Amino acid sequence: MSEINFKVDENKCIHCGLCAKDCIAAVITMDENNTPKATAPQRCIQCQHCLAICPVGAISIMDKNPENSEQIYAQNPDMILNLIKSRRSDRNYKNENLDSDRMNKLKDMLKYIPTGCNVRKLHFSFIDDVEVMNEFRNHTNNKIITALTKKPVKAVLNTFQNYIKLFLDGDDVVFRGAPHMLVVSNHITAPCAKEDAIIALSYFELYAQSLGVGTCWCGFADTCMKLFPELCEYMNIPEGYKPEYVILFGPKAVNYARTTQPNEMTIVSAKKVGFEKMSAAKKLKRYFWNFIR
């Protein structure tokens, strides 16, 4: 029907208009017979909301057919909350490869990650073999030790200054003995480059925890990816892509028995009180706080 191949099975369509109502880009309109049509296909952001919302499976788009989608079923909110509460940063791993079933599940899940403006430019670089991880680990640790002992690099020193002795004693400060690593990169033109990567790793982490796989966000490794260009080449990160963050993962060597008891964070609710006029000094301070990072 158009370059997005929007199709309606008129034998199934109940003319409810949900697809048109939920189309954020206003691609779909209802014709004189109250049947959905793609009247502005050039605006489509390929979100597939129309396919997902149709209650009878009458819509296909971009050669995606509803019969190939899974039905959505109710989740147990208490179990999901328990997963969130029980999530821990794991720094103790078994020195072995994760089984292929769980590894493949983790990789397959990544195609469902939401991205800003639905721009699908994320790049995922895995180390899924412990021998490869050991090669990567040894090279990176040796680079850090060289920088700390012979050719000090200010950025390295600032990042690792509290761990210099541990490094020099051979402690695996960066990788914590993890057998696997995932680097998420995004194209430099992506509108929400950093946000996309953090969302992706947040989803990855929770799903990994549900599979009994340990995870640890790794700012040290992220710094190394940016400081040592050969690491990006090793991880097959394409030109025009920037590594945004790193997560370590693998089979757990320990299991936690209960949730922690964190201190409360500040939570407020806005009130309908109107907007007061701000002084120039107050505006400047707010701009400073808004853009300091």
Side-chain angles (χ1 to χ4, degrees):
M1 182 176 188
S2 66
E3 62 265 37
I4 60 174
N5 202 21
F6 179 84
K7 295 180 179 178
V8 179
D9 186 338
E10 296 192 27
N11 293 322
K12 292 181 179 179
C13 182
I14 58 175
H15 312 285
C16 63
L18 287 173
C19 54
K21 184 177 180 180
D22 201 53
C23 182
I24 189 172
V27 172
I28 303 169
T29 57
M30 307 300 286
D31 68 11
E32 64 277 4
N33 298 316
N34 207 31
T35 299
K37 303 291 182 184
T39 52
Q42 72 281 1
R43 293 205 296 257
C44 180
I45 64 170
Q46 302 183 10
C47 65
Q48 300 182 45
H49 275 215
C50 53
L51 179 146
I53 201 170
C54 180
V56 294
I59 290 176
S60 63
I61 188 169
M62 300 177 299
D63 299 318
K64 312 289 186 182
N65 297 312
E67 58 266 25
N68 296 326
S69 295
E70 296 180 27
Q71 291 295 311
I72 297 174
Y73 53 90
Q75 306 294 327
N76 185 319
D78 291 332
M79 292 185 68
I80 293 175
L81 181 58
N82 181 261
L83 175 63
I84 294 170
K85 288 180 177 180
S86 60
R87 183 222 64 84
R88 301 255 57 80
S89 293
D90 292 282
R91 296 179 178 88
N92 293 282
Y93 298 92
K94 295 178 182 178
N95 185 32
E96 62 188 41
N97 286 328
L98 187 67
D99 58 273
S100 60
D101 180 59
R102 287 187 290 177
M103 182 68 77
N104 290 335
K105 285 180 176 178
L106 286 168
K107 290 181 178 180
D108 186 63
M109 179 276 301
L110 292 170
K111 63 189 176 188
Y112 296 99
I113 297 300
T115 55
C117 306
N118 205 43
V119 175
R120 314 289 291 173
K121 293 188 176 182
L122 283 172
H123 184 273
F124 300 97
S125 303
F126 277 84
I127 294 182
D128 50 18
D129 184 275
V130 68
E131 293 302 320
V132 178
M133 187 71 203
N134 287 337
E135 180 176 68
F136 188 93
R137 184 193 335 267
N138 293 336
H139 176 87
T140 305
N141 286 341
N142 287 335
K143 291 280 290 189
I144 294 170
I145 290 171
T146 298
L148 292 174
T149 57
K150 294 182 180 179
K151 296 182 290 184
V153 178
K154 186 176 181 181
V156 174
L157 289 173
N158 286 342
T159 302
F160 301 114
Q161 60 182 337
N162 294 329
Y163 300 91
I164 291 176
K165 186 178 185 306
L166 290 174
F167 267 112
L168 299 181
D169 289 343
D171 196 303
D172 187 18
V173 174
V174 175
F175 303 105
R176 305 292 183 178
H180 304 304
M181 187 176 80
L182 168 59
V183 181
V184 184
S185 306
N186 214 342
H187 196 270
I188 57 174
T189 63
C192 305
K194 188 73 173 182
E195 293 83 353
D196 290 347
I198 299 304
I199 290 169
L201 289 181
S202 297
Y203 275 61
F204 179 90
E205 177 185 46
L206 284 178
Y207 186 51
Q209 295 277 332
S210 77
L211 294 172
V213 178
T215 59
C216 185
W217 296 68
C218 193
F220 286 155
D222 179 59
T223 298
C224 291
M225 293 297 302
K226 293 176 173 64
L227 286 174
F228 307 132
E230 71 272 20
L231 300 185
C232 293
E233 294 298 307
Y234 189 95
M235 296 299 296
N236 297 309
I237 297 173
E239 291 185 3
Y241 276 75
K242 175 185 175 183
E244 296 293 352
Y245 216 80
V246 178
I247 199 166
L248 309 172
F249 69 101
K252 295 182 179 184
V254 298
N255 288 296
Y256 297 94
R258 61 193 55 81
T259 66
T260 59
Q261 301 173 40
N263 295 329
E264 297 287 344
M265 295 191 187
T266 303
I267 300 174
V268 301
S269 297
K271 305 294 183 182
K272 187 178 180 182
V273 294
F275 288 86
E276 64 179 40
K277 187 174 181 180
M278 296 178 68
S279 67
K282 197 169 183 179
K283 284 183 179 179
L284 284 173
K285 284 195 291 186
R286 180 55 64 185
Y287 281 128
F288 175 78
W289 294 327
N290 286 351
F291 296 105
I292 184 65
R293 286 194 297 271

